[in-house]
Amino acid sequence: MTQRSLRSVLFFLVIFSLSLIAATPLMAQEGTLDGQLLDARTGQPLPGVTLYIPELDRGTASDVDGQFSIDRLPYGEYTLRLSSVGYQTRHLPLPIHDEQVSLTLDLEEDLVGLGELIVTGQGQGLERYRLSTNVTAITGNEIDRLPTLRLDQILQSNLSNAQVRFTSGEPGTASLIRGRGVVSALTATTPVVYIDGVRVDQTTGFNLYQGTGGSQSSALADIPVENIERIEVVSGGAATTLYGSDAANGVIQIFTKHGTSGASRFELETVLGQTHGTRDYLRYDETGDILFTPGIVQQYRLSGSGGSDQVQYSFSGSMSGDEGVLPNNDQVRHSLRTSLQARVRENVHYRGSFAFASHEFSRDWNGNSSGSPLDVDKALFGNPESWDDSDYQARKEYILGYLAESDMSEDVKRYQTSQQLEVEILPELTARVVAGVDARQSGQFLYDTNAAQIAYGFEPPGTTDSGRLSEASRNFLGLTLEGTLRHETDWRRWNLISQAGGQVFRNDERQVRITAEGVPDGSRLAGSGSSTSGSNFRRTLINYGGYWLENLGYDNRYFLELAMRVDQNSAFGETIPAQLYPKVGTVWNLAGEPALRDAFESIRVSTLRLRGNLGWAGNFPTPFSNEVLASIRPFLDGQAIEFGTAGDEALRPERTRTLEAGLDLGVFRDRVILEASWYRSETEDALFRAPFPPSSGLGSALQNVGTIENHGIELATRINVLRTRDANVGIRGSLNTLHNQVTDNGGTSPFAIGGFGFLGSWVDEGHSVGHFRGNRPEYGAGGSIQDVQFDVPLGSPLPDYFGSLGVTADWRSWSLVASADYQLGAQGINMDEILRYINGAQDGRIPDQAVQDSGGNYTIFSSEWVEDTDYLKVRLLSIGYEFPESWLAGGFRSLSLAFTASHPFNWTRSKFDPEVSGQGVARGQGEIGVGGFGLGTLSSPRQYTFRIRAGF
């Protein structure tokens, strides 16, 4: 090597070494951020808090101990955003100039909830303060306080602007959920239900359902409530626009837990207690003495969560049993829900959930049916108050004997799954795809032995071949597919969020029913009967549509919402074009106005937001009612063809237009919160069963001819009476007004939607949907019948006012929860009293002279059995104790005890339970039911349970 070459090599080595020396500190210019997140009031660790650095598009979430860590952060000045459900979002400066930056941060509770993300009605999440509509959010903490496995019980304890009424205490039966009035005279008031973005079945009963005299099974009763993180509820109105042609009754959306990073944590819960029959509404003490026996209730639940920064999981499973209070009222539940989320790549996020539920139960005949246990209270066996001891024992043996000869059971299996994939295409553009399945299989079995038929009086003593068997099944398969694009952009003081998406829902139903007569004792096979018959039902329904939404904000004070849904459905006629559902809304955050800030502070106003919106939603017609169909029936070993569905080629969905205005007010640093809304909705093209001219021979057909109006005010308040580190006391209350009226019947005649011929639930112009009609007697001197007004309005099952009350209190390790609800201004029909009158046990409400004048025609006394149904019911009382961590050992991280009383107290004006509905639930699958008929139905039993929950 030449000297010149050697100098070149040495020069290169020197320069390379100096470069390495210089590069060493540059490569080291990265730091790690770690620390812990705490609740500002209690000092407790906060798991699941999202930490995000927008300048670097980096983030993480705190683990179950509130710990967090983000590594490889280049030196510099950044902003750290902290957000979590139920807490105020924080933005704070984040300087990274050291290799290790450790912080202890806290979050204040968001008492108004304006910072929380709302999904329902928005496609993807938007902060509440940007929304012109009112959405009720139920958090996981509120759900965890309730010892229940039923969705309707969770809703009842937490909804301020909707009624959730238990129509029966029988297992598996339906609840009546009603928000902003009754918008349809055709369809049930139950909202659409989603779980993790997948639409699920919420049907009450089904077309080939084995009736039990009044009560019907509900698909809501077996939705597994395991592992729920949050529930969002919209009672109806403009917020449901994006859900289209079957969302006018509102939307319930359930979101499941997906776990947090950190070591695996598990929780074991055991609930033991007793169920007692509610005697408040029984006419005779003997009824409860004969029928009610305290039943053991028990529940066992195991849950767990954990994971890494890349993958998190969560699961919960439970087993429960309830012996009930009647001979045939037991039930057993098994349920499991698992969830998983994973960051597949830096910009790809996966979420999946799977649920299984098994619900097996039995129940008795009820309502207006022979063999009902409550026949005792209807005085079917005479007045029990006149029995002596021997009569009592004989009646008891007889009644319990024939109850043992009947088997009425149902077995439900349900599978649900949701699969979601979210891709960040660009920092401001995100795509999401949701696919899911809801499969529900329901099998009903009814078997009355020969002894039961004889006891009912249907067959003479000694009969050996009169057993009756019936078996019905419904298989439902619902498929959901949805795709959404979301774009967010900022320009100076403007912010624009744009969303567009499309959805496809497909529902397949298969129903079969077999009935056998003359089944011999000992056999449970239809083929052993002397005669059998069967029927089946098949239906496939497809709905598809797209939506678009714009949310424009200026200076975080002014917001404008614009949205549109386009829908098409196989239930419409082929000649009906796609349906359009628009929405417009606006929000003004007055508390954010700089010119008003000082004035608001002087009067202690911390939050003041005005909002208003106008939107449309719909309700499906009964599928294929647009088609002209013939009915083919067996006749003389052949077939006979007659008119079936008359059809209407112009059939289209009902359209409900809702105008809403409201305000959100917080004073004294949001210690006192008021939410107020006024709404007016009008259902156009309401579906009524309009008659054809008699000469056509077609009877009636479903037609878009009616108009229904609802309007009211919704007031809800929350007052934080005390908030310290050791104590927290909050009270809440709500008041809702309701006015419902059919403003136009399109020239059709009044028609019944429930009840009986002499006293039913009707639809007619100028009255509420389902108002009562019957006869009203007028009495003269001595109680004689002077006159009778026939077929006149007698009241409405819809209340003028309703609402809820609640208290939550925490003091150190103790906690208290209480909830109640009420209604005023509604009426109901005491059908049990009518049957007692027929059976000769008149209670004196009708003058004796009038009874003689009637000549045995009880139908002229219809109005006498219509009663005011004002009530206040305490739904839940619970006292709990959390053991201090310093007391725990053996690997336990938490241990708590709780005592709960469900349905402990009732105050009502009516002599019957105003919630139980009997004939007023629904006449057919998915059809309207407004309640109001108290008829031989078990009231919700009282439960007293003790719960122990341990975490490890």
Side-chain angles (χ1 to χ4, degrees):
M1 180 181 294
T2 63
Q3 187 175 7
R4 182 176 181 180
S5 299
L6 181 60
R7 284 199 301 270
S8 299
V9 171
L10 292 174
F11 179 76
F12 173 78
L13 292 175
V14 170
I15 295 299
F16 181 71
S17 299
L18 291 174
S19 300
L20 289 177
I21 295 172
T24 299
L26 291 176
M27 293 173 63
Q29 301 299 301
E30 289 185 343
T32 296
L33 171 68
D34 61 19
Q36 188 178 30
L37 281 157
L38 305 174
D39 183 295
R41 181 177 65 87
T42 67
Q44 295 297 311
L46 288 181
V49 177
T50 299
L51 300 92
Y52 182 67
I53 305 172
E55 295 89 347
L56 301 175
D57 192 25
R58 295 281 306 281
T60 188
S62 59
D63 64 18
V64 291
D65 295 314
Q67 303 284 345
F68 64 88
S69 178
I70 309 176
D71 58 9
R72 296 183 294 108
L73 298 176
Y75 280 16
E77 301 286 335
Y78 306 107
T79 300
L80 179 63
R81 185 180 72 193
L82 308 175
S83 60
S84 180
V85 174
Y87 289 85
Q88 297 179 12
T89 299
R90 287 188 63 184
H91 297 82
L92 57 152
L94 179 65
I96 302 293
H97 297 300
D98 296 300
E99 294 184 9
Q100 188 76 29
V101 178
S102 297
L103 300 173
T104 299
L105 305 171
D106 57 38
L107 288 181
E108 295 275 356
E109 291 179 79
D110 184 6
L111 300 178
V112 182
L114 294 180
E116 60 187 341
L117 291 178
I118 300 295
V119 174
T120 306
Q122 325 307 322
Q124 288 182 268
L126 287 176
E127 291 87 353
R128 183 190 289 272
Y129 64 79
R130 304 180 67 105
L131 305 181
S132 64
T133 52
N134 187 22
V135 180
T136 300
I138 305 172
T139 66
N141 288 335
E142 293 169 322
I143 296 170
D144 286 342
R145 288 176 177 264
L146 302 175
T148 178
L149 292 177
R150 286 187 53 164
L151 175 63
D152 49 6
Q153 291 177 318
I154 293 175
L155 298 176
Q156 187 181 58
S157 297
N158 290 281
L159 290 187
S160 62
N161 59 351
Q163 282 191 298
V164 182
R165 294 176 45 170
F166 299 135
T167 61
S168 172
E170 298 271 354
T173 51
S175 289
L176 189 64
I177 301 178
R178 185 166 55 214
R180 293 179 168 179
V182 179
V183 300
S184 173
L186 175 71
T187 60
T189 58
T190 306
V192 176
V193 180
Y194 285 79
I195 299 179
D196 287 337
V198 176
R199 189 175 298 203
V200 301
D201 182 32
Q202 78 277 7
T203 302
T204 297
F206 55 91
N207 286 330
L208 301 182
Y209 175 75
Q210 169 59 58
T212 61
S215 298
Q216 296 187 4
S217 297
S218 169
L220 281 180
D222 52 71
I223 290 178
V225 297
E226 302 294 338
N227 221 31
I228 292 179
E229 180 176 68
R230 176 183 177 83
I231 300 175
E232 294 178 359
V233 182
V234 181
S235 296
T240 62
T241 291
L242 294 189
Y243 296 93
S245 293
D246 62 345
N249 287 315
V251 176
I252 299 171
Q253 187 142 210
I254 300 169
F255 305 91
T256 62
K257 298 177 182 178
H258 287 85
T260 55
S261 59
S264 295
R265 298 293 182 96
F266 301 95
E267 192 171 76
L268 182 63
E269 178 182 282
T270 299
V271 177
L272 294 173
Q274 273 196 339
T275 301
H276 292 261
T278 299
R279 295 172 174 248
D280 300 23
Y281 309 102
L282 299 179
R283 168 75 177 275
Y284 306 112
D285 292 337
E286 289 81 359
T287 304
D289 295 341
I290 290 174
L291 297 176
F292 291 158
T293 302
I296 300 297
V297 57
Q298 53 187 323
Q299 174 188 330
Y300 307 95
R301 184 177 67 88
L302 175 66
S303 61
S305 65
S308 63
D309 289 340
Q310 297 298 315
V311 180
Q312 297 91 41
Y313 73 90
S314 179
F315 75 88
S316 184
S318 70
M319 302 181 295
S320 67
D322 185 348
E323 294 179 347
V325 297
L326 294 177
N328 299 320
N329 261 216
D330 58 300
Q331 59 180 317
V332 175
R333 293 173 179 267
H334 299 83
S335 58
L336 171 69
R337 188 180 294 279
T338 64
S339 302
L340 178 72
Q341 66 175 359
R343 186 167 292 279
V344 181
R345 299 181 61 182
E346 193 64 31
N347 65 329
V348 180
H349 189 203
Y350 163 80
R351 284 192 175 192
S353 64
F354 173 82
F356 167 76
S358 172
H359 189 193
E360 302 173 30
F361 55 89
S362 62
R363 59 173 176 252
D364 297 284
W365 291 104
N366 62 91
N368 189 24
S369 59
S370 298
S372 167
L374 295 179
D375 283 344
V376 183
D377 218 54
K378 301 172 192 173
L380 186 65
F381 308 103
N383 188 340
E385 294 174 344
S386 65
W387 296 347
D388 57 24
D389 290 343
S390 61
D391 290 333
Y392 173 83
Q393 290 299 328
R395 293 301 185 190
K396 180 176 181 179
E397 292 178 10
Y398 174 71
I399 293 166
L400 295 181
Y402 73 64
L403 290 178
E405 296 295 332
S406 180
D407 178 3
M408 190 180 301
S409 59
E410 189 163 345
D411 185 359
V412 179
K413 299 291 186 289
R414 190 165 195 164
Y415 309 84
Q416 298 167 358
T417 185
S418 170
Q419 306 297 317
Q420 302 184 31
L421 199 63
E422 190 170 288
V423 181
E424 186 182 274
I425 302 173
L426 297 171
E428 66 277 2
L429 181 64
T430 304
R432 188 185 68 163
V433 177
V434 180
V437 174
D438 178 33
R440 183 174 184 268
Q441 302 169 0
S442 173
Q444 299 173 336
F445 182 81
L446 167 64
Y447 179 46
D448 279 334
T449 65
N450 286 284
Q453 297 295 317
I454 295 170
Y456 300 158
F458 296 157
E459 299 292 339
T463 305
T464 59
D465 58 352
S466 63
R468 178 173 175 265
L469 182 150
S470 179
E471 193 161 1
S473 65
R474 174 178 181 258
N475 292 326
F476 172 88
L477 178 64
L479 305 176
T480 298
L481 180 62
E482 177 180 354
T484 306
L485 281 173
R486 173 188 171 111
H487 182 270
E488 184 171 358
T489 184
D490 295 294
W491 182 71
R492 296 183 179 178
R493 299 167 73 177
W494 295 88
N495 174 265
L496 177 63
I497 297 176
S498 304
Q499 295 186 103
Q503 298 169 324
V504 178
F505 308 111
R506 177 188 173 105
N507 294 340
D508 286 286
E509 282 193 60
R510 302 292 184 266
Q511 301 179 22
V512 176
R513 180 174 175 180
I514 300 173
T515 300
E517 304 286 347
V519 178
D521 286 344
S523 174
R524 299 173 69 87
L525 299 175
S528 64
S530 59
S531 65
T532 59
S533 61
S535 56
N536 67 336
F537 173 86
R538 300 167 66 89
R539 182 167 69 190
T540 298
L541 188 65
I542 302 174
N543 181 65
Y544 48 93
Y547 61 84
W548 156 81
L549 179 146
E550 296 286 347
N551 189 288
L552 176 65
Y554 176 75
D555 203 26
N556 253 10
R557 285 180 287 152
Y558 313 103
F559 298 94
L560 176 66
E561 290 183 289
L562 298 171
M564 176 71 74
R565 167 88 183 195
V566 181
D567 243 3
Q568 188 57 274
N569 189 280
S570 58
F572 310 161
E574 294 182 0
T575 60
I576 303 302
Q579 301 296 301
L580 302 179
Y581 301 98
K583 167 189 171 182
V584 60
T586 184
V587 179
W588 182 16
N589 179 17
L590 271 76
E593 292 286 350
L596 301 176
R597 193 166 297 155
D598 291 341
F600 284 151
E601 288 181 359
S602 67
I603 59 175
R604 304 294 191 268
V605 173
S606 44
T607 299
L608 180 57
R609 191 176 71 113
L610 301 181
R611 48 185 167 80
N613 56 75
L614 173 65
W616 280 257
N619 270 319
F620 290 142
T622 303
F624 315 120
S625 293
N626 58 293
E627 299 182 1
V628 179
L629 300 175
S631 178
I632 303 176
R633 303 181 183 278
F635 180 73
L636 298 178
D637 297 327
Q639 287 82 35
I641 300 176
E642 58 187 21
F643 286 120
T645 302
D648 180 1
E649 293 183 354
L651 202 65
R652 56 194 178 277
E654 300 173 317
R655 293 174 61 83
T656 300
R657 179 185 70 242
T658 301
L659 177 64
E660 177 183 344
L663 66 84
D664 303 304
L665 173 66
V667 297
F668 304 112
R669 297 187 63 186
D670 294 338
R671 295 283 290 271
V672 179
I673 301 165
L674 173 67
E675 296 176 353
S677 297
W678 167 89
Y679 70 91
R680 178 181 291 275
S681 68
E682 186 176 70
T683 300
E684 303 162 326
D685 296 331
L687 292 158
F688 289 178
R689 297 199 179 277
F692 287 98
S695 59
S696 68
L698 294 176
S700 62
L702 208 59
Q703 298 180 49
N704 298 98
V705 296
T707 303
I708 301 172
E709 182 182 286
N710 293 273
H711 63 81
I713 297 173
E714 300 169 338
L715 301 174
T717 184
R718 287 171 287 156
I719 302 175
N720 294 282
V721 180
L722 179 65
R723 295 189 65 79
T724 67
R725 184 181 181 88
D726 292 331
N728 174 39
V729 179
I731 60 176
R732 61 177 174 83
S734 69
L735 171 66
N736 303 272
T737 70
L738 172 62
H739 175 79
N740 171 268
Q741 187 177 36
V742 177
T743 57
D744 187 358
N745 65 358
T748 65
S749 301
F751 58 94
I753 58 173
F756 302 87
F758 75 100
L759 186 52
S761 186
W762 288 76
V763 175
D764 190 17
E765 186 173 299
H767 302 281
S768 64
V769 175
H771 73 282
F772 302 126
R773 296 183 73 89
N775 306 320
R776 185 192 303 276
E778 295 181 1
Y779 304 117
S784 62
I785 298 177
Q786 183 174 350
D787 189 22
V788 178
Q789 301 177 42
F790 293 96
D791 194 28
V792 295
L794 298 177
S796 172
L798 306 181
D800 297 325
Y801 308 94
F802 66 90
S804 61
L805 303 167
V807 176
T808 57
D810 300 290
W811 179 69
R812 295 182 179 175
S813 297
W814 292 93
S815 63
L816 169 70
V817 178
S819 66
D821 61 83
Y822 65 91
Q823 75 171 21
L824 301 168
Q827 288 77 44
I829 299 174
N830 193 339
M831 295 298 301
D832 286 340
E833 194 57 47
I834 296 176
L835 293 173
R836 283 191 282 266
Y837 176 90
I838 295 172
N839 291 324
Q842 145 85 324
D843 67 350
R845 69 177 69 191
I846 302 173
D848 292 337
Q849 183 60 49
V851 174
Q852 296 180 23
D853 293 346
S854 69
N857 182 11
Y858 65 90
T859 65
I860 65 176
F861 299 118
S862 301
S863 62
E864 296 291 350
W865 295 300
V866 178
E867 302 178 9
D868 291 333
T869 55
D870 302 342
Y871 71 77
L872 171 65
K873 292 192 173 188
V874 177
R875 304 295 187 176
L876 181 77
L877 285 174
S878 182
I879 299 175
Y881 180 79
E882 182 85 22
F883 286 86
E885 291 186 16
S886 59
W887 293 15
L888 303 179
F892 286 98
R893 62 177 179 84
S894 65
L895 182 64
S896 64
L897 306 175
F899 173 78
T900 301
S902 301
H903 307 286
F905 304 111
N906 301 309
W907 292 274
T908 62
R909 290 191 64 183
S910 59
K911 294 182 179 180
F912 68 98
D913 189 342
E915 282 194 292
V916 298
S917 294
Q919 295 294 114
V921 178
R923 284 195 164 185
Q925 180 173 332
E927 293 191 2
I928 182 70
V930 293
F933 291 83
L935 176 57
T937 302
L938 181 70
S939 297
S940 295
R942 293 190 167 103
Q943 281 191 349
Y944 304 96
T945 58
F946 179 79
R947 180 182 69 189
I948 180 169
R949 180 184 291 172
F952 49 94

